[in-house]
């Protein structure tokens, strides 16, 4: 049973490292853009979104692709995204992703408690899996920015500060919204 648990953990690593473009393809998402740093930005698949406020980047601390919605603050791995999109439990989402992306090291019929497993085959599969996970991690690390670098690239910079309190449209809007006169009176102090 411990061997099975270890293999399933390794399968989770593979799922979390599935190339986002494969995920987009399965979800029918074509409006994404890949930035030079190796991250992707697109409209959020979790809500109505006309902007590219959803980003996918490789999180080096978690060794997984992270899906992040800037507008709502939602973030997670592919498994979390699948749960959110389809209202599934963690186990249901993992099972579905294993089937969709064909991530199954052991055939289900061989997993009966009393059956004997071919340990050589299991060890072989385990070794192949470790090699694949290492290749994926290395590929992803070489392609993408660290989260701090991504945050820096996506950060907004203040280019100019203007006194908008002389803007007639803005003043009319503030009066319409019944903003206190004390705030409007301070407009000359800016």
């Amino acid at each position: 049973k411990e061997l099975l648990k270890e293999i399933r953990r390794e399968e989770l690593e593979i799922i979390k490292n599935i190339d986002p473009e494969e995920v987009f393809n399965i979800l029918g998402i074509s409006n994404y853009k890949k930035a030079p740093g190796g991250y992707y930005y697109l409209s959020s698949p979790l809500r109505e979104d006309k902007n590219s406020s959803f980003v996918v980047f490789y999180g080096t601390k978690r060794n997984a692709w992270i899906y992040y919605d800037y507008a709502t603050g939602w973030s997670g791995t592919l498994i979390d995204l699948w749960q959110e999109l389809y209202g599934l439990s963690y186990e249901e989402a993992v099972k579905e992703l294993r089937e969709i992306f064909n991530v199954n090291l052991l055939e289900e019929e061989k997993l009966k408690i009393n059956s004997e497993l071919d340990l050589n085959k299991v060890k072989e599969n385990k070794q192949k899996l470790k090699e694949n996970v290492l290749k994926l991690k290395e590929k992803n690390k070489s392609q993408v920015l660290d989260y701090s670098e991504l945050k820096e690239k996506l950060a907004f910079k203040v280019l100019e500060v203007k006194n908008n309190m002389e803007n007639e449209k803005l003043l009319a809007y503030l009066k319409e919204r019944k903003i206190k006169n004390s705030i409007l009176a301070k407009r000359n102090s800016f």
Side-chain angles (χ1 to χ4, degrees):
K1 286 186 179 182
E2 287 303 313
L3 182 58
L4 176 61
K5 285 181 183 178
E6 188 177 330
I7 289 171
R8 291 299 188 221
R9 275 193 293 270
E10 290 175 11
E11 286 178 344
L12 291 176
E13 286 291 314
I14 289 175
I15 290 171
K16 291 175 183 178
N17 281 282
I18 291 173
D19 188 319
E21 290 187 38
E22 288 183 47
V23 176
F24 301 153
N25 188 35
I26 294 291
L27 293 174
I29 296 172
S30 59
N31 66 337
Y32 66 88
K33 295 201 183 335
K34 186 173 184 179
Y39 60 92
Y40 299 85
Y41 55 97
L42 57 143
S43 299
S44 176
L46 301 174
R47 61 187 170 76
E48 278 297 313
D49 184 17
K50 293 182 182 175
N51 302 312
S52 295
S53 59
F54 196 85
V55 67
V56 181
F57 62 93
Y58 192 77
T60 54
K61 287 183 181 175
R62 292 180 69 184
N63 288 323
W65 285 100
I66 305 297
Y67 297 76
Y68 182 75
D69 190 332
Y70 273 99
T72 65
W74 181 93
S75 71
T77 65
L78 174 56
I79 298 168
D80 301 312
L81 177 66
W82 219 256
Q83 283 182 266
E84 192 73 21
L85 282 172
Y86 299 108
L88 301 172
S89 70
Y90 184 84
E91 293 79 15
E92 291 169 328
V94 168
K95 184 178 180 188
E96 198 168 288
L97 289 165
R98 283 178 54 234
E99 290 171 8
I100 291 170
F101 293 101
N102 197 25
V103 178
N104 190 359
L105 299 178
L106 297 171
E107 299 159 7
E108 289 297 324
E109 49 285 352
K110 286 186 177 181
L111 296 179
K112 294 178 185 166
I113 295 171
N114 296 325
S115 68
E116 289 184 15
L117 296 173
D118 178 358
L119 293 179
N120 288 334
K121 187 168 185 173
V122 170
K123 287 177 183 176
E124 230 176 81
N125 285 344
K126 188 176 165 184
Q127 185 58 36
K128 285 180 188 175
L129 176 61
K130 280 184 179 179
E131 290 169 10
N132 287 340
V133 168
L134 287 173
K135 285 179 189 175
L136 279 170
K137 286 180 182 177
E138 287 307 311
K139 176 184 170 198
N140 291 335
K141 283 180 184 175
S142 67
Q143 283 184 352
V144 299
L145 296 172
D146 186 85
Y147 180 67
S148 58
E149 292 175 285
L150 173 65
K151 211 169 139 182
E152 195 176 292
K153 281 199 176 276
L154 296 176
F156 293 99
K157 294 179 182 171
V158 177
L159 300 176
E160 180 179 359
V161 177
K162 290 186 175 183
N163 181 356
N164 284 325
M165 298 313 286
E166 293 178 12
N167 182 320
E168 293 303 319
K169 288 182 181 179
L170 176 61
L171 291 173
Y173 172 77
L174 293 173
K175 285 179 184 176
E176 179 185 312
R177 301 289 296 170
K178 298 180 182 171
I179 305 295
K180 293 181 182 180
N181 288 340
S182 62
I183 294 173
L184 295 175
K186 291 182 183 178
R187 69 180 172 167
N188 292 329
S189 65
F190 286 112

